[in-house]
Amino acid sequence: FGDLEATAEAIDDETCAILVEPVQGEGGVRIPPEGFLEGLRELCDQHGLLLIFDEVQTGCGRLGTWFGYQHFGVEPDVMTLAKSLCGGLAGGALLARRDVATSLRPGTHASTFGGNPIASAAGIAVIETIEAENLLQRASELSAAFRQRLEEGLAGCSWVEEIRVAGLMIGIELSVEAAPVVQRCLERGVLINATQGTIVRLLPAMTLTDAQLDEGCGIVIDEILKLDPLPHE
């Protein structure tokens, strides 16, 4: 991820597509370096490959745009959605450009639970709510507030390696294990998780209030600052 040269070298005669998350989620909120996604688009065009974006985490407004590709200005050929798409109900979708979608004829792409009416209704309700409550703008506002609060609150903390913010995908990379922070935050009513061992990950809701942001950030900052990374005899 982030290495165009290595990606180009991996392409061979059997390569049909490049599949990538616009922002790596489980990888620790890894934000692509400037020009990387544009470079993938160019590679796909040069070699006749499909560019597929996994937008399960970045889609449906999390980056302050409907989809992650809009945030970065790079359009894929195919996009996958799930999780927030149906507001917590099990549901997913595959979207494709018209010229690509025509190859998916009846019987060539099927799903046992495809077209589930309850999940479909939930998906429509999610889209309508995001539009009615202007949650895309709210996501951008919350993102800026999280960045400011975390950078100010954790400034000078020697075991914080980096704070990465892409919309409402937030990763705080530590030089020590993140699991203790996750457990202590849970005990105080804040649900976060750890990825890659040392990264505290936050995926807050677009409906978060200012008071909830302030309280939650305060707890996360407090628990990170309480860490004692120094070994003791």
Side-chain angles (χ1 to χ4, degrees):
F1 186 79
D3 190 335
L4 267 180
E5 184 176 345
T7 304
E9 291 176 354
I11 296 173
D12 59 26
D13 293 340
E14 295 186 349
T15 305
C16 64
I18 295 176
L19 171 61
V20 66
E21 291 178 288
V23 176
Q24 284 194 328
E26 297 303 318
V29 189
R30 303 285 181 185
I31 301 170
E34 185 174 352
F36 177 64
L37 296 180
E38 292 89 342
L40 293 183
R41 178 71 274 174
E42 291 176 5
L43 282 175
C44 288
D45 292 342
Q46 290 170 7
H47 294 275
L49 311 176
L50 292 177
L51 178 60
I52 305 173
F53 278 2
D54 175 351
E55 295 239 26
V56 169
Q57 291 194 40
T58 57
C60 299
R62 182 155 293 280
L63 300 188
T65 52
W66 272 110
F67 307 111
Y69 84 82
Q70 295 167 319
H71 180 83
F72 294 104
V74 178
E75 187 170 330
D77 302 301
V78 179
M79 175 172 62
T80 61
L81 300 171
K83 292 187 176 179
S84 59
L85 175 64
C86 295
L89 289 180
L94 182 145
L95 289 75
R97 285 199 344 254
R98 187 175 298 276
D99 59 317
V100 176
T102 54
S103 65
L104 295 173
R105 302 186 183 281
T108 61
H109 179 71
S111 169
T112 301
F113 297 104
N116 180 288
I118 297 176
S120 298
I124 292 171
V126 166
I127 293 169
E128 291 176 344
T129 300
I130 291 173
E131 289 185 333
E133 299 186 10
N134 200 20
L135 294 182
L136 297 182
Q137 180 178 334
R138 180 59 177 165
S140 296
E141 294 169 352
L142 288 169
S143 176
F146 267 106
R147 181 187 296 276
Q148 180 178 358
R149 182 70 192 279
L150 291 171
E151 289 180 348
E152 290 177 354
L154 296 172
C157 182
S158 62
W159 48 92
V160 173
E161 298 284 340
E162 186 179 20
I163 298 171
R164 296 187 287 271
V165 180
L168 289 178
M169 295 181 71
I170 301 163
I172 306 168
E173 185 160 359
L174 310 177
S175 59
V176 295
E177 289 296 311
V181 176
V182 174
Q183 181 59 38
R184 291 168 189 164
C185 284
L186 179 61
E187 292 168 359
R188 296 177 65 179
V190 177
L191 184 62
I192 59 176
N193 75 344
T195 64
Q196 304 301 308
T198 59
I199 300 169
V200 175
R201 183 175 63 163
L202 286 68
L203 296 173
M206 293 186 287
T207 54
L208 208 67
T209 66
D210 291 342
Q212 289 169 333
L213 183 152
D214 188 61
E215 181 181 5
C217 266
I219 291 172
V220 172
I221 291 169
D222 184 49
E223 293 302 336
I224 290 176
L225 294 177
K226 283 181 182 177
L227 287 173
D228 185 357
L230 299 177
H232 296 274
E233 295 182 358

